Amino acid sequence: MDRQRTKALTAALGPGLLMAGAAIGVSHLVQATRAGAEYGLSLLALVILACVLKYPFIEFGPRYAAATGESLIRGYQRLGKWALGLFALITVATMLIIQASVTLVTAGLAGLVLGIDATITQLSFGVLIACITVLALGRFAALDGLMKIIIAALAISTTAAVLLASGTPAEHVSLNPFSGFDQVWTAAGVAFVLALLGWMPIPLDVAAWHSLWTLERARQTGVAPSVRHALFDCRIGYLGATATAVIFLLLGALIMHGSGERFPPQAVAFSGQLVDLYAASLGEWSRSLIAIAALTAMFSTTLAVTDAYPRVLRAVIEISGAARVDRTGRQLDLHRGRYITALLIVTIGALMIILFFGQRFTVLIDFATTVSFLAAPLLAWLNIRVITADFMPEQHRPGPGMMRLAWTGFGFLVVFCLIWLGWRIF
């Protein structure tokens, strides 16, 4: 029996780690590091709080998939066409910006590591072509395993950098948790906080992605995960993403805060300064190693996002009934074709955004993360509705404690959105 349980648990592992891989990207390498560099440790508690309060909405994705054998997107459709339409609207409104943002970071690192003398648009085009090639050939599963190894290496090296920096902090660094707090309550500070929380540790869209990945993992292994195993997998990935976010914030605070230095707005220059953070703590010997690890991690993140959005678009089309059927009423075998078509649409759209806004890197990142944060209360509410609906098996619904945390998180998201609206209006 123990051997069977171990086999079932092993089969369930994967989607949560893939979620962590998607998370350890822009929100960590860019936003968390910027938070520490510009505001010291004053945002640390808020980052941890946001991660805790967002967790229920992420968990609802794999919980629903394991309990029902269908994706969270199907759950939206069961609520009504309005719910599926709302989710589709949020996805379409944010997917190109998010795709462009993660691609820009990857492109900047690629230019730095590979020493390519090209514009950021040309570098981004190369990254997107590489992603399309890998996904079109169906080689994502093999790279998924490599991604987990690289992300683990990046997390270990970042932890080492923080430990070394904390042992001999720079003279300008203040370990006071309230150092930089006065800068938070400014127009720029509030704007940055909202942008930081938008992707910390990952956008709520990933709940739907996670449900699709859970079903895909079950299809690949031939083993349907239990709710318990699916949640265990999710929690491992989410805890890893949260811990890594804290580590990156500490790194920025220990090395850059109070130095007067600021990250440049261009992607290539930003990437160079990010690698400099590691070299300053670990030594010059680590520069190439860290740069390659960061590039691989970001490429994996870009690849995961590039895979997720076409899957979501395909699922929305098929679930909404917009897919073509033949004379016998059976759906035509266009499953793969729709995925490729959606893949091309997403990548071409992202490239257009990069072409026009790529030189304003940090502005684009802040805009993308802010949009995600403003959409978060709507996604959180939809997820609560699905997970407590009559079609969700009662024995697999969240307990009272988890639901209290979910409603607290929903209130947290609403309050911060109201703060943003008040700040913009007044």
Side-chain angles (χ1 to χ4, degrees):
M1 181 63 71
D2 289 341
R3 181 177 297 178
Q4 292 179 346
R5 290 177 179 175
T6 301
K7 182 179 179 181
L9 176 59
T10 302
L13 295 177
L17 298 179
L18 185 58
M19 179 263 293
I24 303 174
V26 173
S27 62
H28 292 57
L29 270 73
V30 179
Q31 296 296 72
T33 308
R34 283 177 63 197
E38 297 182 18
Y39 302 100
L41 301 180
S42 58
L43 295 180
L44 178 60
L46 186 60
V47 165
I48 295 174
L49 179 64
C51 292
V52 171
L53 294 180
K54 276 186 173 184
Y55 169 73
F57 311 115
I58 303 299
E59 178 198 273
F60 292 167
R63 179 187 289 271
Y64 182 80
T68 65
E70 60 185 33
S71 72
L72 192 61
I73 301 173
R74 172 69 74 177
Y76 297 150
Q77 189 265 344
R78 292 189 184 281
L79 289 178
K81 292 183 177 180
W82 63 269
L84 181 61
L86 179 59
F87 171 75
L89 180 62
I90 292 173
T91 298
V92 171
T94 59
M95 65 181 184
L96 297 182
I97 301 174
I98 293 176
Q99 181 71 62
S101 299
V102 297
T103 302
L104 273 171
V105 180
T106 307
L109 284 167
L112 176 69
V113 172
L114 302 178
I116 301 175
D117 185 15
T119 67
I120 192 63
T121 301
Q122 293 169 334
L123 291 168
S124 299
F125 179 76
V127 170
L128 290 172
I129 288 297
C131 289
I132 291 175
T133 302
V134 171
L135 295 174
L137 293 176
R139 303 299 178 128
F140 181 68
L143 188 61
D144 178 37
L146 178 62
M147 175 177 68
K148 295 165 187 172
I149 297 174
I150 295 299
I151 289 175
L154 182 63
I156 292 172
S157 60
T158 306
T159 303
V162 169
L163 292 175
L164 290 172
S166 61
T168 55
E171 295 181 358
H172 56 76
V173 170
S174 171
L175 299 181
N176 183 348
F178 299 103
S179 175
F181 189 76
D182 55 332
Q183 300 177 28
V184 174
W185 297 107
T186 63
V190 171
F192 178 77
V193 167
L194 293 176
L196 174 68
L197 297 181
W199 283 0
M200 187 53 62
I202 196 167
L204 293 191
D205 311 53
V206 82
W209 306 0
H210 201 159
S211 68
L212 291 170
W213 285 330
T214 298
L215 297 178
E216 181 64 20
R217 177 66 175 173
R219 187 189 67 80
Q220 290 179 351
T221 62
V223 179
S226 66
V227 172
R228 180 181 178 184
H229 288 165
L231 293 182
F232 179 76
D233 171 63
C234 176
R235 287 164 185 166
I236 289 177
Y238 198 84
L239 180 61
T242 300
T244 309
V246 171
I247 289 171
F248 274 105
L249 187 148
L250 291 174
L251 183 65
L254 289 169
I255 296 179
M256 286 192 66
H257 181 60
S259 67
E261 296 183 37
R262 289 293 183 269
F263 281 112
Q266 294 80 26
V268 175
F270 183 99
S271 301
Q273 192 158 342
L274 183 66
V275 174
D276 287 342
L277 288 179
Y278 287 97
S281 289
L282 296 177
E284 284 299 318
W285 63 267
S286 67
R287 182 179 296 275
S288 298
L289 178 63
I290 294 301
I292 293 173
L295 171 60
T296 308
M298 272 310 309
F299 179 73
S300 301
T301 298
T302 305
L303 189 59
V305 173
T306 308
D307 174 72
Y309 280 120
R311 284 184 187 274
V312 168
L313 292 179
R314 181 183 63 189
V316 169
I317 291 173
E318 294 175 352
I319 290 172
S320 67
R324 291 167 52 191
V325 295
D326 62 14
R327 293 180 181 178
T328 64
R330 293 176 300 172
Q331 185 173 314
L332 291 172
D333 187 18
L334 299 176
H335 199 64
R336 185 67 176 170
R338 294 190 194 99
Y339 175 83
I340 297 297
T341 301
L343 180 62
L344 292 174
I345 291 173
V346 171
T347 51
I348 292 172
L351 189 61
M352 295 300 295
I353 290 179
I354 292 171
L355 179 63
F356 290 104
F357 300 102
Q359 295 302 319
R360 304 178 66 192
F361 167 67
T362 54
V363 174
L364 180 62
I365 296 294
D366 287 346
F367 178 77
T369 49
T370 300
V371 170
S372 291
F373 187 79
L374 294 176
L378 296 175
L379 291 172
W381 181 63
L382 285 179
N383 290 359
I384 290 176
R385 289 288 306 273
V386 169
I387 212 69
T388 58
D390 293 338
F391 50 81
M392 174 68 180
E394 185 173 356
Q395 67 271 27
H396 295 311
R397 295 175 191 171
M402 184 60 68
M403 288 309 303
R404 283 194 292 269
L405 183 61
W407 282 114
T408 302
F410 176 72
F412 171 83
L413 295 173
V414 169
V415 166
F416 269 87
C417 282
L418 292 177
I419 291 174
W420 183 87
L421 290 174
W423 169 68
R424 295 295 294 179
I425 295 174
F426 302 105

